[in-house]
């Protein structure tokens, strides 16, 4: 039986390195009531004033398939991106 109320804790960690051109980021959603979580890791690099690249992912964890994030456990994915602005 599920709780009537759902609790979610969030945390964002960001670390800038290499003269603030490299950004490491982790965004976490955690539900202690459902015992499930969602992680969004990301790393991005600003090559120059116009070009940036990034990589990241969407990772779901859950003790049961019926929980909010647990139902997406098979939908984990990784991505790469390139952005050019002029």
């Amino acid at each position: 039986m599920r709780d009537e109320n759902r609790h979610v804790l969030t945390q964002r960690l960001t670390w800038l390195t290499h003269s603030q051109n490299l950004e490491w980021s982790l965004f976490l959603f955690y539900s202690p009531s459902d015992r499930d979580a969602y992680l969004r890791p990301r790393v991005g690099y600003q090559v120059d004033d116009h070009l940036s690249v990034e990589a990241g992912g969407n990772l779901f964890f859950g003790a049961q398939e019926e929980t909010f994030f647990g139902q997406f456990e098979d939908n984990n994915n990784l991505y790469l991106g390139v952005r050019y602005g002029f």
Side-chain angles (χ1 to χ4, degrees):
M1 180 157 162
R2 293 181 46 170
D3 289 340
E4 184 175 321
N5 295 318
R6 184 169 180 270
H7 303 92
V8 178
L9 303 171
T10 62
Q11 177 69 51
R12 178 184 292 272
L13 301 171
T14 302
W15 183 32
L16 299 172
T17 61
H18 295 82
S19 300
Q20 297 188 352
N21 289 327
L22 183 61
E23 178 182 1
W24 303 85
S25 176
L26 177 65
F27 199 46
L28 167 68
F29 297 87
Y30 173 69
S31 175
S33 57
D34 287 350
R35 294 188 316 236
D36 62 356
Y38 170 38
L39 292 172
R40 292 195 59 168
R42 186 181 79 81
V43 59
Y45 183 69
Q46 187 74 33
V47 178
D48 58 25
D49 288 340
H50 303 285
L51 182 63
S52 64
V53 293
E54 70 177 53
N58 295 291
L59 308 171
F60 298 93
F61 304 94
Q64 301 173 342
E65 289 185 7
E66 299 82 31
T67 61
F68 186 77
F69 295 129
Q71 67 182 328
F72 301 115
E73 195 165 27
D74 293 334
N75 295 338
N76 295 334
N77 62 71
L78 300 174
Y79 66 87
L80 296 171
V82 177
R83 180 176 296 176
Y84 182 81
F86 51 93

